[in-house]
Amino acid sequence: MMNREFDRRKFLGGAVAAGAATFFDNSAAALGAARSEQTSAKNGEESAIQDLTHAKPAKVQWKAEPFPMPDVRLLPSYWKDTMELNRSYLYSLPNERLAHNFRITAGIASDADPLGGWEAPDCELRGHYVGHYLSACAFMHASTGDKVIRAKANDLVGMLSECQQKDGYLSAFPVELFDRLRQHKRVWAPFYTYHKILAGLIDMYENTDNQQALNMALRMADWASEYSAPFSDDDWQHVLNVEQGGMMESAFNLYAITGNAKYRDLAYRFEHHKIFDPLAAGDDKLDGNHANTNIPKVIGAARGYELTADDRYRKISENFYRIVTEHHAYCTGGTSNGEMWHAADAIASQLGPAAEECCCSYNMLKLSRHLYGQNPDPKFFDYYERLLMNVRYGTQDRNGMLMYYVSLQPGMYKTFGTPFDAFWCCTGTGSEEYSKLTDSIYFHDDSSLFVNLFIPSTLNWKDRGLKLRLATELPHDDRITLRLDAAPTSRTPLKIRVPYWATKGVTVSVNGTQQEVASAPSTYLTLDRDWKTSDVITIDMPFALHIETAPDDKTVQAAMYGPLVLAALLGTDGLTTSMIYGGSGPRGFDDGYPMPTIDLRRRMHRGENGEAPPPPPAPPIDEIWFEQAEASPQYALRFHTKGRGPTHTLVPLNQIMDERYSVYLKRIDS
């Protein structure tokens, strides 16, 4: 979340303080005075999807649509545990503290204790997390029906409305930061923060019916339009070199909601030619660009294609997705090192302590969801699942604290923020992510239901009267069970994603009778019959062991079990609480360890007369060099490396906390 010349951690000068990972319980004190709820005649449970997939101005309809989040509910599982930890954290943040900087900027007295980190009164991004917070609360209400979290967020919207200027400007910092941006003076990222607040208000409208939030968002957009109008085209492109978040996407979303072309034109204004022009031509010019500055721009292009049918936007988003996933992504699906993109296929050479910024993963999930809706290819959810399992799940600790980077330097470890003194960009996207885990499990078209993620949950497809229950203990058991609690009123094919990793075959039964059905990896298996209430479908998908090889060094490899990336455990020597909590990444304490090795050289035996045998052939580059081992009290899934030794213990990366690890290992063949 910076421009190339601007290192945000240096800018803060160490303002983020380390502290204990504790947070307030979700008491009445944490709620503050939730004064009132905004109401309207609009059905908020349906509006978010309606405006996303069936907006009146839309020129390109989604071929497969997600269900409204209120129609999907999580069942007990580690996914639900993750969401509940996040809900507790949202409750722990008092509205008075969240609104403090906005009030001070607006000249309204506040005696609240300011928050720290990136929400500190002297941080030029202050206010950004408040926007994320509104989005997270809106999503949490949609995902759970929690009326108290909705009331808390509505109350916060009311507080912010008192801080909005007559011209529509709303921020926790004064407008002078935008003056510096206009003058091309040193400034962090004013539009980035402005976007987060704008997006939070839009999400509050879409998911909680808060009309006041929409009115505030429209006035914010009007101010942005007035601000940008006097710039020449060339001068404005210079402004766009400074990070602006998802301003393009939010402007397009306001166009979708209102049909007012001025918001479409505002979205056009945020088109950044330096990034878009090479992508439109299919060229990979990502090297040297800040990763998470630019992914939201491409989400804006994807949204623009849906609303305008401009084929250039389609090319930009599809080319970008292909370039990143094929040439700039690690085995986990994550991207970026030191927040930047580097040369195409540079993986083994880019295993840094600040790899895989979590915001990048969040935004790549958003982009994948748009592209899937436009073209429902299950390969999009192969990637989505890889990201979700490896660099989304596992980046929240047992107290709900969140990560910034997922380090890939051997011997490093996971680091987490603190409750009131972090508020990084990735704190915000994490708060959103774990509030909306229901939004992409199921999709549908006019006739079929698509099951894309295997997360225990229920679905209520109201239009068809279909009620479905998905149960599974993946990855500890390879069975998925679907039960129809209510049969659909019309014939409804079920399309169940067969992941890329399901190479051992898939077995499907309906009410105990095995079905003969095509089930190749990275396709959908289709069950089409007249369904009855209480029908039970079982799918057995054995997990396969496989290897991911770094394209720039074939001897640098990662072990995978199904969708799970495994990592070698490297102990806890030297680790302290202050190293794990408070810092955005594991830097400044040590340099980690050498990359672990797997010695796959064949043993040679001399002949009867002592003559040396000819050298044996090198093992195949994709040879599986690990095997499953017995579980331990700490790790239900454990694996050991094979070969001459030393033997390394491997466990899922998403399970590792408070311990050093290495995702990639070096194989020795000769």
Side-chain angles (χ1 to χ4, degrees), residues 349-478:
S349 60
Q350 295 297 330
L351 302 178
E356 301 185 289
E357 182 181 349
C358 289
C359 283
C360 294
S361 298
Y362 172 85
N363 282 312
M364 286 301 294
L365 290 178
K366 282 188 67 174
L367 177 62
S368 301
R369 190 169 184 256
H370 278 278
L371 296 180
Y372 175 83
Q374 297 166 17
N375 173 28
D377 187 328
K379 292 179 181 178
F380 287 115
F381 268 91
D382 283 346
Y383 175 70
Y384 194 109
E385 178 186 58
R386 185 184 287 236
L387 271 177
L388 191 67
M389 295 293 291
N390 296 302
V391 279
R392 302 313 293 136
Y393 184 64
T395 59
Q396 177 199 59
D397 85 338
R398 60 186 65 87
N399 292 317
M401 298 298 98
L402 301 169
M403 295 177 66
Y404 193 134
Y405 303 115
V406 181
S407 177
L408 291 174
Q409 183 171 328
M412 289 301 185
Y413 45 92
K414 294 182 177 180
T415 61
F416 300 88
T418 53
F420 303 113
D421 292 292
F423 299 110
W424 309 314
C425 51
C426 301
T427 313
T429 50
S431 294
E432 291 187 31
E433 186 74 65
Y434 306 130
S435 293
K436 64 181 188 68
L437 293 169
T438 59
D439 78 342
S440 295
I441 302 171
Y442 308 100
F443 280 67
H444 69 91
D445 59 17
D446 291 340
S447 61
S448 300
L449 170 64
F450 298 84
V451 181
N452 281 324
L453 297 172
F454 308 118
I455 295 177
S457 54
T458 61
L459 167 67
N460 182 5
W461 190 352
K462 296 173 183 175
D463 289 346
R464 289 189 167 242
L466 184 155
K467 293 183 179 180
L468 184 75
R469 179 177 301 265
L470 188 159
T472 185
E473 294 185 5
L474 290 176
H476 307 294
D477 184 85
D478 58 16

Side-chain angles (χ1 to χ4, degrees), residues 543-606:
F543 279 38
L545 308 180
H546 54 113
I547 297 292
E548 282 281 326
T549 299
D552 53 338
D553 184 345
K554 300 297 185 183
T555 67
V556 174
Q557 300 184 337
M560 296 191 68
Y561 178 61
L564 299 175
V565 170
L566 307 178
L569 295 175
L570 298 180
T572 60
D573 287 355
L575 290 186
T576 64
T577 299
S578 63
M579 293 168 68
I580 294 170
Y581 287 99
S584 58
R587 300 190 297 180
F589 292 97
D590 59 49
D591 296 322
Y593 296 164
M595 184 178 290
T597 59
I598 320 105
D599 191 341
L600 299 180
R601 291 174 294 179
R602 310 300 193 205
R603 297 189 182 278
M604 297 186 296
H605 301 282
R606 293 185 176 274

Side-chain angles (χ1 to χ4, degrees), residues 49 74 201 218 246 307 342 439 454 473 492 567 585 620 660:
I49 295 301
L74 297 187
L201 293 170
L218 293 173
L307 295 173
H342 301 273
D439 78 342
F454 308 118
E473 294 185 5
T492 303
R660 298 179 186 272

Side-chain angles (χ1 to χ4, degrees), residues 489-503:
T489 54
S490 56
R491 195 176 183 98
T492 303
L494 299 186
K495 295 180 177 291
I496 301 159
R497 182 176 64 91
V498 181
Y500 75 96
W501 48 261
T503 56

Side-chain angles (χ1 to χ4, degrees), residues 332-347:
T332 58
T335 187
S336 80
N337 184 36
E339 304 198 12
M340 310 297 287
W341 282 308
H342 301 273
D345 299 316
I347 297 297

